[in-house]
Amino acid sequence: MTSTSEGAAAAAVAATAPAAGSGSDSSRDVWISVEGSRQLSSDADAGAKIPAVGSGEVYQSTMLQETILDRIPDNRRVAVRFKGVNGWVPSGLGPGGPGEGLGKKAWRKMISVRGKKEEGSSGSDSQAPAPLGKRQILHNICGGVSPGEVLALMGPSGSGKTSFISVLGGRKPAAMEAEGEMLFNGKPLDKAMKRRVGFVLQDDLMFETLTVEETLYYAAMLRLPKSMTREEKKSRVETVIASLGIEKCRGTLIGGFMVRGVSGGERKRVSVGHELLIDPAFILLDEPTSGLDATTAMHLMTTLRQLAEGGRAVLTTIHQPSSRLYRQLDNVLLLSEGHIMYYGSGKLAIEWFKHVGCSCPYGVNIADYMLDLANGEMDAEGRKDDAMKDQIVARYEHFGISHKEGLQSLAELEQEGADEAQVLPEDVGGRRSMQLQMDVSGTKGDRWGATYWGQVTILFERCIKIRRSESLGLQQYLRLLLTAIIAAGLWWQVGGEATLKSASDTVGLLFFEQLFVSLMALFASVFTFPADFNMMLKERSSGMYRLSTYYIARTAADLPMDLTIPSLFVFVIYWSTGLRISAGAFFGNWLGVMLLTLVGQSVGMLIGASVMDVQKAQTVATVLMLGLMLVGGFFVREVPSWIDWLKYGSFIWWGFSLLNKIEFGGRSFVDCGDLGVAEVDGCVPVDDLQDALNLPTDVDKSVWPELVFLFASLVIMRWMIYEVLRRKTMA
């Protein structure tokens, strides 16, 4: 798995090893052990122990070679080429603009160099006109990664690494604009190819309340082909767990900010395993070693190295690799403020910078030195020299015009000074010629890993397990119990009498009953989609499920979770306050409150899905709920006629009318003067309860108008939520 310029590179290794490593003989032994491991793993059925990098450790590879590291067939391999990739973000996201940081002299040189491009080259470059109000963050990024290679994207923070792989993987932010040629086996990225690409995010988006095994299990059920049986998918999960060494934590929660879970290294390996389940042909990783100790990072990088040797293409961003880790890389693409400062063989980077007048000091890790140069620090004292940095960028820009594969041999440096460089022979880079043998047609196969209702079932089960702690926790029951005790004490058996005073108190109870459950459901559901949206985007980008199946499963899973607490609340309140004693009235009250809960939940979900910002969503929900409550028919009985129509848009008003009809319909009441409205002798019958209590509706009329409105509101809002999510996830 080495380039054809092996002889020249070998000569460079001897010179590079002391500078890149510790300067001792052991560092040269480490390099030899790495080359030996690659040679062993390149044999089809070697089944041997692969020497680890450093300290004489030995990793067992027999099991790995038989599991996730099996070689993939030639027709499944993916070769990736990118040329002229430019990217812009709104200028408000940061200072500067196109070309910021480049000196005028170097900028003019880059412009003149581009004018000498040979005919037929890509017209995209870093001088592409920036859209109005945009700032350019990627400038003419060119290169590629072929099966069997590990390409590392290096650069300091803010150099554009994450932005570039997001564009390459088809996951760029909506606010970002990008252009350029990005080909996968000679074709642009499509949905079929996307399912052969694994993308490991930097922030490890996973559900905190699922265990390691559950996380991988549900991913396997949704992502692996539907032709595989459930047992085969479970076996694949076991294979990934064993191969990544996470058996001990398989039953541990993933955890997060509020929930204690696995360690950072274990979490990162679970994130990688999530993508390895589908055996991707091309793997993108965004800083997989960040936050890991040197040994854990080396273990992870060794696994990626072995995955590449099985015919996969690996592209990873690495912020600050150790010298041991750096030696696992085939090629390096170094970015500085969105410009390429170096692209080519990792072993030859030290020779390139020596060639341009920046020799790596003795005993300094070449990776650290490259990052210093990308920051403009030209010596050990940290002296800033932006002009020199600009010259290095311009120098590679000149070199890259005629060397599309980057620097792959020492001989190429001798031609670097010429204006018209010779075209490289076809076999330069060895492994890159493999892309000519790829099956560029690709196989589309089944789009989904499970049937439609299979996805619904799996997602429903997962949603139940995710919400098992938050919805049915002790805190929820304590809130219910305390609120019910307070309400029962205030309205104890008020509904047991047929007096006007008892009916007046019951009206307040009914309004509180519906307001408590609908408010609780509305404000809880505001967080539903803002909390899950990024995870949904990640999983949808991986082709795990349809949006409709996710929506159906999430809605169905919410029903038992979100209706349990309100149901218990109704049971306690109804009997302790002495409401109407009949089966029809009880179940009517309960079903009415459940319907109001679902409508309130729908309002909150619609606000959350539309806004997606928790603070803004809470503000909108608060203002809207106060408005709906004020026109709900309890606080303000005599609403001015010019604004009275607002009540017909309030589900609180309709729900209040429904509960009043269920409780008071067909009953007779007497006025004993308890309200103090008028002097009466004894108790007199009440002819019109609506007029006596100024109720929002006639309680003796049918309940169907209220039911139709509430059901229609529920259906329409649920459909609106789906449409909002569909539009937000279309990109």
Side-chain angles (χ1 to χ4, degrees):
M1 304 296 293
T2 59
S3 68
T4 55
S5 53
E6 193 74 55
V13 171
T16 305
S22 61
S24 64
D25 291 337
S26 63
S27 66
R28 286 188 290 272
D29 295 338
V30 168
W31 182 258
I32 294 171
S33 70
V34 173
E35 292 298 317
S37 70
R38 297 182 186 177
Q39 181 61 40
L40 282 173
S41 62
S42 64
D43 297 334
D45 299 298
K49 294 181 179 179
I50 299 180
V53 178
S55 305
E57 285 184 280
V58 175
Y59 295 106
Q60 293 285 350
S61 69
T62 303
M63 178 191 67
L64 295 179
Q65 287 293 334
E66 295 175 351
T67 55
I68 63 173
L69 303 183
D70 290 341
R71 299 181 66 84
I72 61 176
D74 288 352
N75 62 352
R76 286 197 62 243
R77 300 185 182 186
V78 175
V80 182
R81 302 294 299 162
F82 43 90
K83 181 169 62 175
V85 178
N86 298 284
W88 297 269
V89 295
S91 55
L93 294 182
E100 180 190 19
L102 286 176
K104 293 182 179 179
K105 185 175 180 181
W107 191 254
R108 286 195 298 268
K109 183 175 181 181
M110 292 173 67
I111 297 173
S112 64
V113 165
R114 291 192 189 95
K116 299 177 182 179
K117 287 186 178 182
E118 65 273 20
E119 187 173 346
S121 63
S122 173
S124 299
D125 54 42
S126 59
Q127 284 297 292
L132 185 63
K134 301 289 184 177
R135 178 174 65 94
Q136 192 165 2
I137 59 172
L138 296 176
H139 303 258
N140 195 32
I141 308 299
C142 301
V145 55
S146 296
E149 285 185 353
V150 178
L151 171 63
L153 198 62
M154 293 177 57
S157 298
S159 61
K161 303 186 300 296
T162 298
S163 298
F164 173 68
I165 69 166
S166 298
V167 172
L168 186 63
R171 304 191 184 194
K172 71 176 181 63
M176 182 179 179
E177 295 183 15
E179 67 175 19
E181 184 179 78
M182 290 161 282
L183 302 178
F184 296 73
N185 283 351
K187 294 182 178 181
L189 184 65
D190 55 19
K191 289 185 177 180
M193 180 59 71
K194 226 173 186 180
R195 287 172 176 79
R196 297 165 62 186
V197 175
F199 197 113
V200 180
L201 298 172
Q202 182 177 350
D203 48 1
D204 301 326
L205 287 174
M206 287 179 284
F207 291 107
E208 297 179 357
T209 53
L210 291 181
T211 66
V212 169
E213 185 175 9
E214 288 172 345
T215 298
L216 296 177
Y217 169 77
Y218 289 119
M221 293 297 108
L222 292 168
R223 300 188 69 182
L224 293 178
K226 65 180 70 173
S227 58
M228 295 178 65
T229 65
R230 180 178 292 267
E231 293 304 317
E232 289 174 337
K233 292 181 179 182
K234 287 182 178 179
S235 176
R236 180 67 181 174
V237 171
E238 294 298 325
T239 294
V240 171
I241 289 176
S243 300
L244 293 177
I246 49 179
E247 299 99 327
K248 294 182 179 179
C249 63
R250 63 188 304 155
T252 306
L253 294 178
I254 294 296
F257 182 72
M258 299 295 294
V259 181
R260 186 172 182 178
V262 296
S263 66
E266 291 167 338
R267 185 183 180 93
K268 185 67 70 172
R269 278 179 279 173
V270 174
S271 184
V272 174
H274 194 282
E275 299 302 318
L276 294 183
L277 283 169
I278 62 170
D279 196 16
F282 177 43
I283 308 173
L284 283 161
L285 305 99
D286 190 8
E287 298 197 17
T289 59
S290 295
L292 305 183
D293 60 83
T295 302
T296 304
M298 192 63 224
H299 281 225
L300 178 59
M301 202 63 203
T302 300
T303 302
L304 296 178
R305 172 71 259 169
Q306 294 169 334
L307 284 168
E309 289 169 351
R312 301 165 186 85
V314 178
L315 192 157
T316 177
T317 64
I318 299 183
H319 184 62
Q320 198 165 8
S322 64
S323 57
R324 289 198 308 161
L325 193 149
Y326 180 81
R327 294 187 184 107
Q328 295 285 336
L329 309 175
D330 290 310
N331 289 305
V332 172
L333 196 157
L334 177 65
L335 293 180
S336 176
E337 295 182 348
H339 298 269
I340 298 180
M341 181 173 271
Y342 172 75
Y343 170 54
S345 171
K347 295 181 291 186
L348 300 180
I350 193 169
E351 297 299 327
W352 167 260
F353 289 109
K354 178 180 179 181
H355 178 75
V356 298
C358 296
S359 298
C360 180
Y362 180 80
V364 175
N365 179 7
I366 180 61
D368 293 338
Y369 184 64
M370 290 167 66
L371 293 178
D372 290 342
L373 293 178
N375 274 317
E377 298 177 4
M378 298 299 150
D379 53 30
E381 286 73 27
R383 177 178 57 87
K384 295 283 288 185
D385 190 345
D386 288 336
M388 187 63 182
K389 179 184 69 173
D390 299 341
Q391 291 178 17
I392 298 174
V393 171
R395 192 72 173 271
Y396 182 80
E397 186 80 12
H398 182 198
F399 177 81
I401 292 175
S402 55
H403 297 77
K404 303 301 182 184
E405 310 295 338
L407 180 62
Q408 297 296 330
S409 70
L410 287 172
E412 296 172 14
L413 289 178
E414 300 174 0
Q415 305 174 1
E416 191 270 330
D419 289 338
E420 295 293 334
Q422 297 179 358
V423 179
L424 293 179
E426 187 174 342
D427 62 344
V428 168
R431 290 182 301 273
R432 296 187 181 274
S433 62
M434 292 178 64
Q435 69 184 39
L436 300 176
Q437 305 171 13
M438 296 298 102
D439 178 13
V440 298
S441 62
T443 55
K444 185 173 183 179
D446 282 341
R447 181 177 178 182
W448 308 106
T451 63
Y452 189 91
W453 292 110
Q455 290 182 12
V456 172
T457 303
I458 296 167
L459 289 170
F460 175 82
E461 182 183 344
R462 189 181 73 170
C463 289
I464 292 291
K465 289 191 176 182
I466 291 171
R467 300 198 59 199
R468 57 193 165 191
S469 58
E470 65 180 73
S471 295
L472 300 178
L474 180 61
Q475 181 180 355
Q476 300 284 352
Y477 287 102
L478 287 176
R479 179 171 61 178
L480 160 73
L481 180 62
L482 293 176
T483 305
I485 290 175
I486 293 173
L490 294 174
W491 280 289
W492 181 259
Q493 296 298 316
V494 298
E497 301 178 3
T499 64
L500 192 62
K501 179 180 181 298
S502 174
S504 177
D505 290 339
T506 303
V507 168
L509 170 64
L510 295 176
F511 190 81
F512 169 77
E513 181 187 25
Q514 67 146 0
L515 194 63
F516 173 73
V517 295
S518 57
L519 275 175
M520 185 174 66
L522 189 150
F523 282 101
S525 60
V526 162
F527 299 93
T528 298
F529 293 115
D532 293 349
F533 187 67
N534 288 333
M535 177 65 75
M536 183 175 63
L537 284 181
K538 171 195 170 185
E539 294 181 336
R540 289 268 298 140
S541 298
S542 301
M544 288 181 65
Y545 47 73
R546 301 171 178 86
L547 177 61
S548 59
T549 59
Y550 167 81
Y551 186 63
I552 292 172
R554 183 60 197 261
T555 302
D558 285 342
L559 291 177
M561 297 289 190
D562 293 336
L563 296 184
T564 300
I565 299 294
S567 295
L568 293 175
F569 179 78
V570 170
F571 296 157
V572 173
I573 289 296
Y574 196 91
W575 300 112
S576 63
T577 57
L579 294 179
R580 191 172 188 173
I581 303 177
S582 73
F586 169 73
F587 286 108
N589 182 283
W590 173 67
L591 290 174
V593 172
M594 295 305 100
L595 183 57
L596 285 166
T597 301
L598 294 177
V599 174
Q601 181 191 64
S602 300
V603 173
M605 292 171 68
L606 181 58
I607 294 172
S610 302
V611 180
M612 285 297 177
D613 182 277
V614 174
Q615 290 184 340
K616 293 180 181 178
Q618 283 182 305
T619 301
V620 173
T622 301
V623 174
L624 179 62
M625 197 61 192
L626 285 173
L628 295 175
M629 184 173 60
L630 290 176
V631 298
F634 180 77
F635 292 108
V636 184
R637 304 292 178 89
E638 298 294 337
V639 180
S641 58
W642 62 273
I643 202 174
D644 185 55
W645 57 271
L646 288 176
K647 66 184 181 183
Y648 297 112
S650 170
F651 74 92
I652 298 293
W653 185 87
W654 291 95
F656 186 41
S657 299
L658 175 64
L659 295 183
N660 281 325
K661 288 182 177 181
I662 293 172
E663 179 64 24
F664 301 123
R667 294 177 63 184
S668 299
F669 292 87
V670 295
D671 182 5
C672 298
D674 298 331
L675 293 179
V677 177
E679 293 292 336
V680 295
D681 295 329
C683 297
V684 298
V686 176
D687 296 328
D688 189 347
L689 187 64
Q690 179 185 8
D691 182 64
L693 295 179
N694 201 8
L695 296 177
T697 186
D698 186 351
V699 296
D700 291 322
K701 289 185 177 180
S702 172
V703 298
W704 282 108
E706 286 79 7
L707 290 176
V708 169
F709 177 86
L710 292 175
F711 270 112
S713 298
L714 177 62
V715 173
I716 291 173
M717 280 191 287
R718 294 286 175 164
W719 173 79
M720 290 174 65
I721 294 167
Y722 176 77
E723 283 298 311
V724 170
L725 291 175
R726 187 180 65 83
R727 292 179 182 276
K728 285 184 176 290
T729 57
M730 280 177 64

